[in-house]
């Protein structure tokens, strides 16, 4: 929130950090602006990045309306920060949270980018413009109408993705777009702060596991963003330029492949994959597995109770009701569904019917 952001910016300045990254979606630009004024720093002493939402995320209206919609958010960012210009302004997400090479989402993207270009070229309120969480399909769409190539694509990038996940880093470089890493330590996973490889390498250089993870990003030529309200961590974040990892060490960390994807991109690199969809699929799978387990347990319990009952009698014959099935005493393990398909639901239903008839006196056999 604004108060945490204000404190965080001042702590970052005190640690020697000069790049401040914020966004409309963070709802903290008022606090960032207050900290910038309180710091006493001249405007040229820090680098300020902000972002506006992707059109269609809050308003999926006519693609042509995205120009005005984007302009209104750009102006809001400037008012909240209380600055005359930013160093870098980004589109925070692709329109509709997906990258498409054509269609309404592509037209929304093109309309938004036109607003960004005018913000840069016509209004001189940003020194550079870029994107965030964009995949290859968005590049294809943008290329059809752009006047200015995005300076930056800010994506999630860290150990576990490999050096060039899905070719995003190299493809961006070929287009003149700099990949910038956010969440370089993942989302708090101990893999980054206590991992075997990073910890072992860190001991050699007198660095923490987190510092090795950050160094891997930097040494792969990717600028990195970090965040913390802990002064010690902030100091460690920039204390990574007095050593270099060896080629074998870099290769070892490159090989730490955990199949993460940058910016939610699919493997074909053309469409965004919404986080919500991943979460939904996972929840559905959990419920499905739980349902199967419950059904299996109930089936096993039912079979074993039924067969235990059978074992207490010498025989139970249901006459014509059991024209093809004769149930006698047997071991409960014969209820294995893969081996005894005869003990199916139809048999259980007929057995229940036979038991009711036996109780009522229709069947007397012992």
């Amino acid at each position: 929130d604004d108060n945490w952001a204000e404190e965080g910016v001042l702590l970052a300045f005190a640690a020697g950090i000069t790049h401040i990254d914020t966004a409309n979606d963070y709802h903290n630009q008022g606090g960032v602006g207050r900290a910038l004024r309180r710091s006493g720093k001249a405007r040229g002493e820090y680098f300020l990045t902000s972002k506006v939402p992707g059109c269609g995320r809050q308003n999926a209206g006519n693609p042509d309306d995205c120009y005005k919609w984007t302009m209104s958010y750009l102006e809001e960012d400037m008012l909240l920060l209380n600055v005359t210009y930013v160093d870098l302004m980004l589109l925070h997400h692709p329109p509709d949270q997906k990258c498409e090479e054509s269609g309404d989402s592509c037209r929304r993207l093109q309309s938004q980018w036109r607003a960004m270009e005018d913000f840069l070229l016509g209004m001189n309120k940003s020194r550079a413009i870029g994107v965030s969480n964009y995949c290859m399909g968005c590049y294809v769409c943008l290329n059809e109408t752009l006047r200015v190539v995005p300076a930056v694509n800010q994506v999630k990038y860290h150990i576990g993705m490999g050096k060039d996940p899905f070719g995003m880093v190299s493809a961006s470089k070929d287009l003149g777009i700099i990949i910038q890493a956010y969440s370089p330590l993942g989302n708090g996973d101990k893999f980054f702060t206590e991992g075997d490889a990073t910890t072992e390498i860190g001991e050699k250089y007198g660095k923490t596991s987190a510092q090795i993870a950050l160094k891997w990003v930097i040494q792969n030529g990717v600028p990195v963003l970090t965040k913390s309200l802990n002064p010690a961590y902030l100091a460690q974040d920039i204390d990574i330029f007095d050593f270099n990892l060896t080629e074998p060490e870099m290769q070892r960390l490159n090989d730490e492949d955990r199949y993460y994807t940058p910016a939610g991109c699919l493997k074909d690199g053309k469409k965004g994959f919404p986080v919500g969809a991943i979460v939904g699929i996972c929840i559905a799978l959990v419920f499905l597995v739980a349902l199967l387990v419950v059904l299996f347990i109930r089936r096993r319990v039912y079979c074993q109770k039924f067969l235990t009952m059978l074992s207490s009698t010498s025989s139970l014959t249901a006459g014509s009701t059991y024209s093809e099935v004769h149930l006698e005493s047997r071991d409960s393990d014969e209820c294995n569904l893969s081996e005894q398909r005869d003990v199916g639901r139809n048999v259980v239903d007929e057995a229940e019917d036979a038991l009711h008839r036996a109780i009522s006196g229709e069947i007397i056999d012992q």
Side-chain angles (χ1 to χ4, degrees), residues 201-214:
I201 295 171
E203 289 175 353
K204 171 183 172 181
Y205 297 103
K207 303 294 182 181
T208 67
S209 176
Q211 286 176 301
I212 298 302
L214 294 176

Side-chain angles (χ1 to χ4, degrees), residues 73-101:
Y73 271 102
L74 289 168
E75 292 296 340
E76 182 177 300
D77 279 6
M78 303 303 289
L79 288 172
L80 289 170
L81 291 167
N82 194 21
V83 295
T84 56
Y85 73 93
V86 294
D87 296 284
L88 177 63
M89 182 65 76
L90 306 178
L91 291 178
H92 205 164
H93 298 92
D96 309 312
Q97 295 279 10
K98 58 186 176 183
C99 279
E100 293 184 346
E101 297 178 11

Side-chain angles (χ1 to χ4, degrees), residues 92-94 97-99 132-139 153-172 179-184 186-187 216 222 257-275 278:
H92 205 164
H93 298 92
Q97 295 279 10
K98 58 186 176 183
C99 279
S132 180
N133 299 303
Y134 272 42
C135 302
M136 297 305 296
C138 284
Y139 288 169
N153 185 7
Q154 194 181 101
V155 301
K156 182 180 252 187
Y157 178 82
H158 51 60
I159 290 175
M161 293 182 178
K163 180 180 180 179
D164 189 11
F166 302 156
M168 276 293 295
V169 177
S170 55
S172 298
I179 288 291
Q180 186 178 49
Y182 71 76
S183 297
N187 296 317
W216 174 85
V222 177
D257 189 352
R258 288 192 161 209
Y259 306 104
Y260 292 101
T261 60
C265 293
L266 291 177
K267 192 168 185 177
D268 62 13
K270 292 186 178 180
K271 294 184 179 180
F273 199 84
V275 173
I278 299 175

Side-chain angles (χ1 to χ4, degrees), residues 294-337:
V294 170
L295 290 176
F296 177 75
I297 292 174
R298 290 185 63 186
R299 176 77 175 115
R300 293 288 296 178
V301 170
Y302 197 107
C303 285
Q304 293 199 14
K305 285 184 176 179
F306 178 64
L307 294 175
T308 299
M309 178 275 297
L310 289 179
S311 67
S312 67
T313 66
S314 58
S315 68
L316 176 62
T317 305
S320 60
T321 304
Y322 290 91
S323 56
E324 297 181 0
V325 181
H326 183 70
L327 300 177
E328 293 183 341
S329 179
R330 67 195 74 183
D331 294 331
S332 62
D333 62 4
E334 287 186 4
C335 216
N336 185 311
L337 299 183

Side-chain angles (χ1 to χ4, degrees), residues 61-131:
N62 189 315
D64 294 333
D65 293 337
C66 286
Y67 180 91
K68 292 188 296 183
W69 188 85
T70 304
M71 275 295 183
S72 68
Y73 271 102
L74 289 168
E75 292 296 340
E76 182 177 300
D77 279 6
M78 303 303 289
L79 288 172
L80 289 170
L81 291 167
N82 194 21
V83 295
T84 56
Y85 73 93
V86 294
D87 296 284
L88 177 63
M89 182 65 76
L90 306 178
L91 291 178
H92 205 164
H93 298 92
D96 309 312
Q97 295 279 10
K98 58 186 176 183
C99 279
E100 293 184 346
E101 297 178 11
S102 60
D104 282 351
S105 290
C106 177
R107 289 194 292 274
R108 289 190 180 98
L109 188 157
Q110 292 169 348
S111 183
Q112 277 207 283
W113 191 247
R114 184 163 54 88
M116 295 285 282
E117 290 173 326
D118 288 346
F119 187 73
L120 170 73
L121 301 174
M123 302 169 68
N124 295 316
K125 291 190 175 182
S126 183
R127 295 174 61 198
I129 54 176
V131 296

